[in-house]
Amino acid sequence: MLAFALVIVSIYGLRVALLPVGKEISVNSAQLLKNPLPPEAPKLPDFSAIADVREKKQAFFDFLRPMIRAQNALIAKERDFLQTVNAHFSLDHTLSDAERYRIGEIAQKYQFNPRVIDGDAITELLRRVDTVPENMVLIQAANETGWGSSRFAREGLNFFGQWCFRKGCGLVPLSRTEGLSHEVAKFDTVEDSVAAYLRNLNSNGAYDMFRAIRADVRAQGKEPQAEELVWGLMSYSERKEAYIEELLQMLQHNKSFLIANN
């Protein structure tokens, strides 16, 4: 696995090295997915008040898991639609206006601007419109928030450290370097944070390697696993390889919590 990862990293390393840290996003509430939330979003638990470590981890995963599954289900539905469209192209079927309109909506959501809507464009769009392993999302959220206890999670419902750049769009980091203007984005709900994070991985240029690894695994007829895809997150943190190694260690150390709930 390590050899595979190093080969992939070497192939895409030069292009990724030229990209900014990829957790930077521009948050626009109008672009956020309309989530199938219950009448009231789940109340954020006080994870820092849970003294037992195992209980805290279980509570954290149990809180986030339904939101991750809901968002992945929406992505899977979009992917199914695009795969059906691809099948239509292979049979030389003409797309309806409704199909073309929906393709346009999905392409805009994933920041993809095809010159024409054809089979090649749909194939490229399918590289973006794909699910993210639940275990990877859970572990990254745990890492970014200190198991839900960070200021950004508590005050901004931001579970993935995502940035925004419009003044007042979020929370100003206490340790922000002088001269920088970014803020840590605030969300209306935790599920909005999950949706924005997944869209970020699926559309941001910094994660082209992540999407390439996932597409390669799909091409082999296999289901992408967190341990493979984390190597595509090199641009998520300035810590680079150290960040990846930490995520891998967390995946291993928390396997009992992750497996028990799948």
Side-chain angles (χ1 to χ4, degrees):
M1 180 63 68
L2 179 58
F4 167 77
L6 292 177
V7 170
I8 294 294
V9 169
S10 66
I11 293 174
Y12 294 94
L14 179 59
R15 179 164 53 180
V16 172
L18 299 176
L19 294 169
V21 174
K23 69 171 67 176
E24 303 174 6
I25 62 169
S26 177
V27 174
N28 183 337
S29 59
Q31 294 178 341
L32 285 176
L33 205 58
K34 298 301 181 183
N35 301 318
L37 289 170
E40 291 186 5
K43 183 179 179 181
L44 182 66
D46 183 1
F47 294 110
S48 61
I50 305 175
D52 183 85
V53 174
R54 292 186 61 85
E55 182 182 345
K56 177 186 294 188
K57 290 182 176 183
Q58 191 65 65
F60 183 84
F61 288 157
D62 288 347
F63 174 72
L64 277 181
R65 187 174 282 108
M67 304 176 203
I68 298 168
R69 290 181 177 175
Q71 289 301 313
N72 265 334
L74 291 173
I75 294 171
K77 188 174 181 179
E78 293 170 333
R79 184 174 177 82
D80 288 344
F81 166 73
L82 292 175
Q83 288 174 326
T84 299
V85 168
N86 235 7
H88 288 175
F89 276 122
S90 66
L91 296 172
D92 292 326
H93 288 179
T94 301
L95 297 182
S96 68
D97 290 341
E99 287 175 321
R100 289 184 176 276
Y101 180 79
R102 188 176 180 195
I103 292 168
E105 283 192 319
I106 294 173
Q108 183 179 27
K109 172 185 171 183
Y110 291 92
Q111 299 178 27
F112 180 62
N113 300 301
R115 299 182 66 179
V116 295
I117 298 177
D118 57 13
D120 290 340
I122 298 301
T123 297
E124 180 59 32
L125 187 53
L126 280 166
R127 288 167 61 92
R128 298 180 179 230
V129 185
D130 202 349
T131 57
V132 177
E134 180 181 298
N135 289 357
M136 194 187 91
V137 184
L138 288 170
I139 286 299
Q140 209 174 353
N143 182 282
E144 291 288 335
T145 66
W147 297 97
S149 62
S150 73
R151 169 191 170 216
F152 303 124
R154 290 182 288 103
E155 298 180 20
L157 303 183
N158 187 332
F159 273 58
F160 301 94
Q162 294 157 292
W163 293 358
C164 59
F165 295 91
R166 177 174 50 80
K167 185 175 178 61
C169 64
L171 302 170
V172 177
L174 299 179
S175 58
R176 186 174 67 184
T177 302
E178 185 177 355
L180 297 182
S181 61
H182 70 276
E183 299 180 13
V184 177
K186 291 178 66 175
F187 294 94
D188 293 332
T189 69
V190 175
E191 188 162 357
D192 281 345
S193 174
V194 173
Y197 158 81
L198 294 176
R199 192 175 60 254
N200 193 31
L201 292 188
N202 283 334
S203 60
N204 193 318
Y207 303 118
D208 184 60
M209 183 170 67
F210 169 85
R211 298 189 291 273
I213 296 172
R214 182 175 60 188
D216 287 344
V217 174
R218 290 276 189 212
Q220 298 171 42
K222 299 188 297 184
E223 187 70 22
Q225 301 298 315
E227 291 79 4
E228 298 168 312
L229 297 192
V230 291
W231 291 97
L233 300 177
M234 202 71 72
S235 294
Y236 206 92
S237 169
E238 294 175 348
R239 296 172 57 214
K240 302 291 183 181
E241 291 87 350
Y243 181 73
I244 304 304
E245 291 294 342
E246 187 169 275
L247 292 179
L248 288 169
Q249 290 174 12
M250 291 182 70
L251 282 165
Q252 181 63 34
H253 293 163
N254 294 282
K255 187 175 292 186
S256 62
F257 296 99
L258 298 169
I259 292 177
N261 290 279
N262 279 332

